[in-house]
Amino acid sequence: MRSRSNMLGLSAFDCAIIGGVAGVCVYYFVFVRKPRNGNGSGLAPPSTLGQASFQSIPPTSKGAAADDYDESSFISKMQAKNRNIVVFYGSQTGTAEDFATRLSKEALRYGLRAMSCDPEECDMKELAHLADIPNSLAIFCLATYGEGDPTDNLQEFFTMLKDCDRNELDLTGVNYCVFGLGNKTYEHYNAIGQLVDKKLEELGAKRIYELGLGDDDANIEEDFNNWKEGMWPAACQQLGVSAEAQDIKYRQYQLVNHEPGSVPPEKLYKGEISRLGSLQRQRPPFDAKNPYMAAVTENRELHTGGDRSCLHLELDIGDSRIRYESGDHVAVYPVNRSELVDKLGELLQCDLDQPFSLNNVDDDSTKKHPFPCPTTYRIAFLHYLDITANPKTNLLNELSDYTDNEEHKQMLKKMGSNTEEGKALYHDWIISARRHIVAVLEDLDSVKPPPDHLCELLPRLQARYYSIASSPKLHPKSVHVCAAVVRYTTSTNRLVLGVATGEFADKPAQLPVYVRRSQFRLPYKHQTPVIMVGPGTGFAPFRGFLQEREWAKDQGKPVGKTILYTGCRNRDIDYIYSQELEAWKDKGVITNLQVAFSRDQGEKVYVQHLMRRDENSREIWEVLELGGHFYVCGDAKHMARDVMAALEEIVEKHGSKSRQEAQDYIKKLSNKGRYSADVWS
């Protein structure tokens, strides 16, 4: 009797081919494209709205050493998992990490396999062995932090890199490219990206594409998009693959819905950064992953009138074992406003109290979840996700798949594109109008993304940093904060409150905090003269400095000249800490108090104008020549630049120098630690 295949006229080879295709189809529909069922297992299916189609990242094919490799070695992992691109990130606020993750996903569109890595978790001396992996590439997304410093997670690699030579680390055969994240309002714009780019080349590595410089003072998202638009073709040419990108969107995380009651309440994350229950069961040491719940023992208004607000907070750290120095920063983890989260839940048509997890579909990634899981949507939107930031272009582009309204779809696609028309629309509609994700979904009401996908796309809510406004010499068990409350109305008539300062204004009983060390320090010797320039809340660290000098004076120690330039709009409205300042002046702690009341007269007067006055400028020059230290704190974009210009004029005038010589003089002060800036934009 003939077999059924022979009856159909099929050969054994034909049957094998059909069987193989059937097997692939079964694998795809059963294991990759699982429907979202009642308990949420499997990936979300393509949305029925607007032809949305998102695929999960395909499973990794095993390399030769897949069954035996060192998981702590990024080279071993790349070899075992057939990865040929590694994307390192130096990130302080999450932007560089986000860019690295996006590049890793985009590599798939070119048939490449990439993984993003935190250099702090890698042995970066292994970088030389990247040359052993054929057609490989290292991409660096590196932020410059503070005054030309590497981010916390890049410190070790940066120190190793700048101090080694080619005999210690030969990178011959290693392909690389760098995108730097910086801010032009700072003196050391993109210093880390530029230095790493230069150093890698000196060590023998091959730059496959030009250094990218992102400016956060302008539009860093646009800078990044422009850079990667040219980087990918260059990378593809170097790695020998087609530069034609597939039109595929990938999901990084898989949704798992948990049935009500299936996860005990004590097993759900409720805002913890790392360890489950850490906010309730506190134990030191306290840091970025384990913040201390500090009681707010004082919260008072510093302004005496007007429509603006500036608050003085005191945080109790008595039982925490936290130590700090004058000039350090306190980090506060904020919480989004509950009414904004409720509105977002309404727009998404989701149950905010639904327990869920988002699990990375890339089993090889060290980042298993985008934020602590399991949790609820309410907690995720309150504690873990930044819902008040301007949405990035990649988010808008992906939202376009979740609408049937053609006008809304095209508008989102245009803003998500890299065309000049799209950039202009993004700037006007998103940046200038200050629209956050809630505003976008309100104004484009046909757009209905699944809440889990939105959770994947939104950036993490970051800690807010404040210069500590106290000295441990006087206040060893408390940290003081001076913060201006952010409050304004947008062009679309929406009220915007600062995430952290808005919370301060609501008088919270406790705040999750930790202390971050700073290089902004008083001279070791109390008799060293100092000049401090800090208008408005820029005065905060100098309050700690003055407390410290008062303590030294009370101890009978010799204290050098202490000169303060500060300022506000009106003496009778926003002259913060005025009574303390006048008392320090009377006591001789402050030897010269200069306050600029910018709006108490017809012509505006700022701190730089006071510095330029003959008697003051002469004193500044004399203090610098006697070995004094110069400090500036506050707005980087305008004030700090104006103060620097005034200082250059003073050095030029009283030191009989050219402008270039004056700039060199100040640069030497900076190199010696005698010119310090704690500024923000």
Side-chain angles (χ1 to χ4, degrees):
M1 183 176 179
R2 290 189 304 171
S3 69
R4 184 177 297 271
S5 61
N6 286 338
M7 290 174 65
L8 295 174
L10 299 175
S11 68
F13 179 75
D14 294 330
C15 292
I17 293 295
I18 293 171
V21 171
V24 170
C25 292
V26 169
Y27 174 82
Y28 176 76
F29 283 102
V30 174
F31 295 102
V32 176
R33 193 185 172 201
K34 296 179 183 178
R36 182 161 41 185
N37 56 29
N39 66 6
S41 61
L43 290 171
S47 170
T48 56
L49 287 173
Q51 307 300 315
S53 57
F54 296 91
Q55 295 185 17
S56 65
I57 291 177
T60 306
S61 58
K62 293 184 178 181
D67 297 324
D68 183 22
Y69 73 95
D70 180 3
E71 289 195 7
S72 65
S73 164
F74 76 88
I75 292 293
S76 294
K77 181 176 284 189
M78 290 179 71
Q79 291 172 328
K81 304 295 185 178
N82 280 337
R83 307 293 174 109
N84 57 340
I85 297 177
V86 57
V87 190
F88 295 107
Y89 57 86
S91 188
Q92 198 72 30
T93 63
T95 305
E97 181 180 1
D98 175 57
F99 285 175
T101 301
R102 285 158 62 177
L103 289 174
S104 298
K105 287 172 66 175
E106 285 183 24
L108 291 164
R109 299 177 61 208
Y110 299 93
L112 302 167
R113 296 304 303 265
M115 66 181 191
S116 60
C117 289
D118 183 344
E120 191 174 34
E121 298 176 358
C122 301
D123 179 2
M124 294 303 290
K125 289 182 180 177
E126 283 193 327
L127 193 59
H129 297 296
L130 192 63
D132 300 335
I133 299 177
N135 297 323
S136 59
L137 170 66
I139 305 176
F140 295 83
C141 294
L142 307 176
T144 297
Y145 166 69
E147 292 302 298
D149 301 317
T151 57
D152 292 345
N153 74 316
L154 196 72
Q155 288 277 1
E156 190 175 337
F157 171 59
F158 182 76
T159 300
M160 177 199 78
L161 193 68
K162 70 184 180 73
D163 292 336
C164 71
D165 57 29
R166 202 158 175 174
N167 292 324
E168 298 169 288
L169 186 66
D170 188 349
L171 299 182
T172 301
V174 173
N175 301 311
Y176 81 95
C177 58
V178 177
F179 182 80
L181 296 83
N183 189 308
K184 280 187 176 177
T185 61
Y186 292 83
E187 180 185 356
H188 305 281
Y189 171 62
N190 260 314
I192 299 304
Q194 295 184 64
L195 194 149
V196 170
D197 177 69
K198 180 181 177 183
K199 191 68 179 182
L200 291 172
E201 184 179 43
E202 289 176 358
L203 294 172
K206 177 183 178 181
R207 182 190 300 107
I208 64 105
Y209 190 63
E210 64 188 31
L211 168 67
L213 298 177
D215 180 15
D216 197 36
D217 186 51
N219 188 338
I220 200 167
E221 176 80 6
E222 182 178 318
D223 295 334
F224 176 64
N225 288 335
N226 288 339
W227 178 78
K228 66 186 179 74
E229 193 173 78
M231 184 277 294
W232 279 123
C236 291
Q237 182 178 2
Q238 178 66 38
L239 304 183
V241 299
S242 171
E244 289 294 322
Q246 301 175 47
D247 188 18
I248 300 174
K249 294 178 181 178
Y250 290 99
R251 287 289 306 268
Q252 184 78 43
Y253 296 96
Q254 179 185 42
L255 171 67
V256 177
N257 279 324
H258 304 291
E259 292 293 341
S262 64
V263 181
E266 65 272 15
K267 296 296 183 182
L268 285 173
Y269 280 90
K270 302 175 184 66
E272 300 93 333
I273 305 303
S274 181
R275 178 173 60 86
L276 186 65
S278 62
L279 298 181
Q280 294 77 34
R281 299 181 299 277
Q282 298 248 274
R283 58 172 183 258
F286 296 104
D287 53 27
K289 293 184 179 180
N290 183 35
Y292 177 67
M293 291 301 295
V296 183
T297 57
E298 187 167 340
N299 186 339
R300 59 184 168 88
E301 178 61 59
L302 292 174
H303 290 179
T304 57
D307 57 357
R308 297 180 304 131
S309 173
C310 184
L311 300 175
H312 171 87
L313 282 75
E314 296 186 7
L315 311 174
D316 185 356
I317 58 168
D319 297 328
S320 68
R321 301 183 193 172
I322 291 175
R323 300 292 179 265
Y324 75 96
E325 297 293 334
S326 300
D328 283 342
H329 302 118
V330 61
V332 179
Y333 281 106
V335 179
N336 287 309
R337 302 192 72 77
S338 58
E339 58 267 29
L340 201 60
V341 171
D342 289 340
K343 183 63 180 178
L344 183 56
E346 177 187 325
L347 291 166
L348 295 173
Q349 300 174 355
C350 77
D351 177 5
L352 289 173
D353 297 314
Q354 167 68 50
F356 76 104
S357 295
L358 285 178
N359 301 329
N360 201 323
V361 297
D362 182 358
D363 293 335
D364 304 322
S365 175
T366 56
K367 188 175 182 179
K368 300 305 179 185
H369 314 281
F371 44 77
C373 292
T375 188
T376 66
Y377 287 113
R378 187 181 304 280
I379 294 298
F381 290 135
L382 278 171
H383 293 274
Y384 296 133
L385 298 169
D386 194 342
I387 62 173
T388 62
N390 296 135
K392 300 288 179 64
T393 54
N394 69 304
L395 186 153
L396 299 175
N397 190 41
E398 302 221 2
L399 287 183
S400 68
D401 284 308
Y402 294 113
T403 176
D404 282 330
N405 184 305
E406 194 61 28
E407 181 183 352
H408 291 174
K409 180 188 292 291
Q410 293 307 317
M411 184 177 180
L412 288 166
K413 282 187 173 182
K414 186 178 293 183
M415 288 191 291
S417 72
N418 206 34
T419 64
E420 291 304 316
E421 187 180 1
K423 292 175 188 177
L425 180 60
Y426 177 79
H427 183 272
D428 292 342
W429 204 77
I430 297 290
I431 304 297
S432 296
R434 304 293 180 101
R435 279 183 172 88
H436 45 53
I437 185 60
V438 180
V440 169
L441 295 178
E442 278 185 319
D443 292 346
L444 303 179
D445 56 2
S446 71
V447 182
K448 301 295 180 185
D452 60 290
H453 196 186
L454 190 61
C455 287
E456 178 177 329
L457 294 170
L458 287 169
R460 280 292 296 269
L461 183 60
Q462 300 294 325
R464 269 49 173 177
Y465 297 97
Y466 299 91
S467 298
I468 294 177
S470 56
S471 166
K473 295 290 193 296
L474 269 64
H475 303 281
K477 295 186 177 182
S478 67
V479 165
H480 297 186
V481 173
C482 170
V485 177
V486 176
R487 181 187 180 95
Y488 62 89
T489 301
T490 69
S491 60
T492 60
N493 203 32
R494 289 183 169 95
L495 176 64
V496 174
L497 284 170
V499 180
T501 59
E503 185 181 0
F504 296 169
D506 291 338
K507 308 288 186 181
Q510 288 182 307
L511 290 169
V513 305
Y514 68 93
V515 167
R516 185 177 67 184
R517 302 299 174 191
S518 167
Q519 300 301 314
F520 201 70
R521 291 281 188 268
L522 274 171
Y524 178 73
K525 295 180 179 179
H526 298 295
Q527 60 265 43
T528 303
V530 297
I531 303 164
M532 302 171 290
V533 183
T537 57
F539 168 66
F542 302 136
R543 184 171 182 264
F545 284 10
L546 289 167
Q547 288 180 359
E548 195 143 319
R549 292 222 148 182
E550 179 183 30
W551 173 86
K553 193 175 183 69
D554 290 344
Q555 298 292 312
K557 298 180 181 180
V559 176
K561 269 191 172 183
T562 305
I563 303 163
L564 174 67
Y565 288 81
T566 188
C568 60
R569 292 184 180 182
N570 307 102
R571 178 189 288 271
D572 297 332
I573 295 177
D574 57 348
Y575 184 15
I576 63 175
Y577 301 110
S578 58
Q579 292 181 346
E580 291 182 16
L581 288 171
E582 297 299 331
W584 278 322
K585 179 184 176 183
D586 293 341
K587 192 175 180 179
V589 175
I590 299 177
T591 54
N592 184 2
L593 175 60
Q594 295 286 322
V595 186
F597 301 106
S598 64
R599 302 190 184 185
D600 273 351
Q601 59 284 312
E603 186 177 345
K604 291 182 180 179
V605 176
Y606 297 111
V607 287
Q608 63 269 21
H609 299 135
L610 300 184
M611 289 172 59
R612 287 189 176 99
R613 290 179 179 173
D614 285 343
E615 187 176 337
N616 291 337
S617 66
R618 191 178 302 108
E619 181 184 44
I620 290 171
W621 171 248
E622 289 171 354
V623 166
L624 293 178
E625 283 294 276
L626 288 172
H629 288 224
F630 190 98
Y631 301 88
V632 61
C633 180
D635 167 53
K637 191 169 186 178
H638 301 293
M639 185 277 298
R641 285 183 173 182
D642 292 339
V643 167
M644 173 61 79
L647 186 59
E648 288 174 357
E649 289 177 23
I650 290 168
V651 173
E652 184 179 0
K653 176 182 177 181
H654 294 286
S656 300
K657 301 178 185 295
S658 68
R659 179 52 63 96
Q660 184 59 54
E661 288 172 335
Q663 292 172 348
D664 293 341
Y665 179 92
I666 296 170
K667 187 167 289 186
K668 287 180 182 178
L669 292 180
S670 180
N671 292 338
K672 292 178 180 178
R674 290 177 51 208
Y675 175 91
S676 302
D678 181 4
V679 295
W680 57 84
S681 61

